Amino acid sequence: MYIPGYNNGKPSFIKVDDILYISAERNDIRFHTHDYVYRPLASLQDYTELLSSRGFEMLNKNHLVQVNKILRYDRDKQVALFDDESPSRGVHISRRNRFKIDRM
């Protein structure tokens, strides 16, 4: 499955399996892959509904995460990590959503 979006202002399609997580801040939504960051054409709620059956979970109010892409979960910091080499690319897990990660 592919999702339309923009990369550096150019239209492109994002392969859903390549998405690590989706972030949203002040209505600015971004798709994060290992190599690029894309801007989508719809709202985060639209993508939550579209992608929930493909393993995506809301882990806080601003991040929709493809759970099977989580490499490690830092319980002390409450952060899901996608890459050991780039710990800054982690996503904070809200208190009410930690059960989604604890069952991993």
Side-chain angles (χ1 to χ4, degrees), residues 25-39:
E25 294 189 29
R26 295 186 200 104
N27 295 326
D28 183 28
I29 300 170
R30 308 276 174 153
F31 289 102
H32 299 261
T33 67
H34 275 290
D35 301 318
Y36 300 104
V37 177
Y38 298 87
R39 298 187 79 197

Side-chain angles (χ1 to χ4, degrees), residues 7-34:
N7 182 15
N8 293 324
K10 297 178 184 175
S12 61
F13 286 91
I14 308 146
K15 188 174 179 183
V16 170
D17 290 340
D18 291 343
I19 298 170
L20 299 175
Y21 62 95
I22 301 168
S23 63
E25 294 189 29
R26 295 186 200 104
N27 295 326
D28 183 28
I29 300 170
R30 308 276 174 153
F31 289 102
H32 299 261
T33 67
H34 275 290

Side-chain angles (χ1 to χ4, degrees), residues 30-102:
R30 308 276 174 153
F31 289 102
H32 299 261
T33 67
H34 275 290
D35 301 318
Y36 300 104
V37 177
Y38 298 87
R39 298 187 79 197
L41 305 175
S43 72
L44 188 60
Q45 181 60 38
D46 294 336
Y47 286 109
T48 301
E49 293 171 16
L50 178 68
L51 299 172
S52 64
S53 66
R54 298 191 57 108
F56 282 78
E57 296 273 356
M58 287 295 297
L59 295 184
N60 65 43
K61 69 179 184 174
N62 297 323
H63 292 90
L64 179 62
V65 175
Q66 187 166 193
V67 176
N68 69 349
K69 297 288 186 175
I70 296 172
L71 182 63
R72 192 167 52 87
Y73 175 48
D74 185 329
R75 291 188 194 291
D76 295 330
K77 295 179 182 176
Q78 301 300 318
V79 173
L81 300 168
F82 303 97
D83 187 345
D84 281 334
E85 296 174 15
S86 301
S88 63
R89 293 189 65 181
V91 171
H92 175 75
I93 311 302
S94 70
R95 190 174 312 138
R96 74 176 177 173
N97 288 307
R98 289 182 188 150
F99 76 94
K100 296 175 182 177
I101 299 300
D102 287 335

